[in-house]
Amino acid sequence: MPSRDLPYPLFDADNHLYETEDALTRYLPKAYEGVIQYPLVNGRKKIAVRGQISDYIPNPTFERVARPGAWEQYFREGNPEGKSHRELFGAPMDSIPAFREPVARLELMNELGIQRALMFPTLASLIEERMRDDPHLIHVVVHALNEWLYETWGFNHKDRIYTTPVISLPILDKAIAELDWCLERGARAILVRPAPVPGFGGSRSFALPEFDPFWKKVEAAGVLVAMHSSDSGYARYANDWEGSGSEMKPFEAQVFRMMAEWRPVTDAVASWVCHGALFRFPELKVSVIENGSAWLVPLLDELASVYKKQPKGFLGDPVEEVKNRIHISPFWEEDMFELSQIVGVDRVLFGSDYPHPEGLADPVTYIDALKKFSEADQAKIMGGNLARLIDG
């Protein structure tokens, strides 16, 4: 039974599945055999991309995982004792069927009191950045993952679990073909990395006119664009400061890198208006998931300053466009009432990040952060807003 009953249905904008070891390889063409491997390093399986071992996700098989909500106290109270990340994680647990497949997940959702959920892959967040010099390979591996995702979870399981297939944009025709493939199989949301798009001649913004044919199709289909926290490639900028060549490691204390933690989402949202796609596609539905909301006010202030100086550089008022178009899933520890005063309550989305350690062990407790809201507005945030976006 849920820890408490609410008088409205919950639609969680940020749930996660844990991929099986063959998620990236089961449907990989034979010509690409060996691109993804799981070598043993000191007795533990790691993931290697084109022979390069990655520590981005310490346990990429997810056989043992951190307990849901293991970091709640860390986010609530900070870390006055200076514990290491490993100490903050606490004792791990064996992965359970509900983390791996939809039938068991529905049973768990019933126990947690969640009626519907957007379901994001976890391992997928490392793909694009580690293949950024090979756009063809990105498309091949992304499609292999999406095939696994569809076979294992489906894109719409009983109108309750909506998995988010990955769409990568390096080669426009391939991105459109991938989108069509996902739409034909019932996808209601797509996962697009908040990062520059890799390309043969360098990277560029996803919001440039080059990609308009893709966004036109997305807009016409009415699917939700979810820009979820990922490896956006910004480690290379930190490396310029720290004199290293290390990759992004989200579970290690790297204080200089933490200073710019929200730079990728800031740049991504800025790109939507600076490069014009949000103006060119007024019905496009865009959400920002697991990036919190601390980046919003500084971005709006900067956009206001630039717009004042160069209004003709934009297709409209960028501040109003961000406030009126971008849907945001804030962290439970943030001031959601203040956020709602900026973007409107209709653009605030409940997201628990379950079952990740950074999320909530009991997703329904998100409601505790909404005490300043009326019950009608609580119902919107806890599910009504996302239902409107998904159901059309």
Side-chain angles (χ1 to χ4, degrees), residues 19 28 61 63 71 131 143 160 198 203 231 264 319 322 332:
E19 294 94 326
L28 204 59
T61 68
E63 293 170 354
W71 281 9
M131 303 175 185
H143 183 68
R160 293 190 62 189
S203 60
D231 184 351
V319 173
V322 169
W332 59 268

Side-chain angles (χ1 to χ4, degrees), residues 48-84:
V49 180
R50 295 183 295 179
Q52 183 68 43
I53 293 173
S54 171
D55 287 312
Y56 175 73
I57 295 178
N59 181 9
T61 68
F62 304 114
E63 293 170 354
R64 296 273 287 171
V65 296
R67 294 182 180 277
W71 281 9
E72 275 192 55
Q73 185 175 359
Y74 169 68
F75 287 113
R76 193 182 305 276
E77 302 175 6
N79 184 19
E81 298 176 5
K83 293 181 179 179
S84 69

Side-chain angles (χ1 to χ4, degrees), residues 307-351:
Y307 183 54
K308 180 180 179 180
K309 298 167 186 172
Q310 292 292 340
K312 292 184 179 180
F314 296 91
L315 298 178
D317 185 334
V319 173
E320 291 305 309
E321 199 69 5
V322 169
K323 289 166 61 175
N324 294 330
R325 297 287 305 284
I326 303 293
H327 298 78
I328 300 171
S329 178
F331 296 135
W332 59 268
E333 68 269 23
E334 296 178 323
D335 189 334
M336 297 184 209
F337 190 77
E338 180 182 358
L339 173 64
S340 73
Q341 299 302 295
I342 298 170
V343 301
V345 71
D346 289 344
R347 277 167 288 284
V348 182
L349 307 176
F350 150 58

Side-chain angles (χ1 to χ4, degrees), residues 29 58 115 139 288 343:
Q115 279 69 46
H139 285 286
V288 173
V343 301

Side-chain angles (χ1 to χ4, degrees), residues 245-257:
S246 64
E247 63 182 344
M248 177 189 180
K249 298 177 183 177
F251 301 118
E252 290 190 12
Q254 298 172 300
V255 292
F256 178 78
R257 294 166 192 247

Side-chain angles (χ1 to χ4, degrees), residues 191-249:
L191 175 55
V192 177
R193 187 174 65 135
V197 178
F200 295 106
S203 60
R204 68 278 198 212
S205 167
F206 52 79
L208 290 169
E210 170 190 351
F211 297 106
D212 281 3
F214 175 82
W215 296 122
K216 183 177 181 180
K217 279 210 156 201
V218 173
E219 181 184 53
V223 293
L224 177 65
V225 179
M227 304 202 89
H228 189 283
S229 180
S230 182
D231 184 351
S232 294
Y234 279 55
R236 59 184 174 274
Y237 304 123
N239 290 341
D240 284 346
W241 285 99
E242 298 189 325
S244 69
S246 64
E247 63 182 344
M248 177 189 180
K249 298 177 183 177

Side-chain angles (χ1 to χ4, degrees), residues 131-152:
M131 303 175 185
R132 62 191 306 269
D133 62 325
D134 192 340
H136 280 294
L137 181 61
I138 292 175
H139 285 286
V140 169
V141 176
V142 162
H143 183 68
L145 171 65
N146 286 341
E147 286 205 72
W148 173 88
L149 188 63
Y150 179 68
E151 179 185 272
T152 307

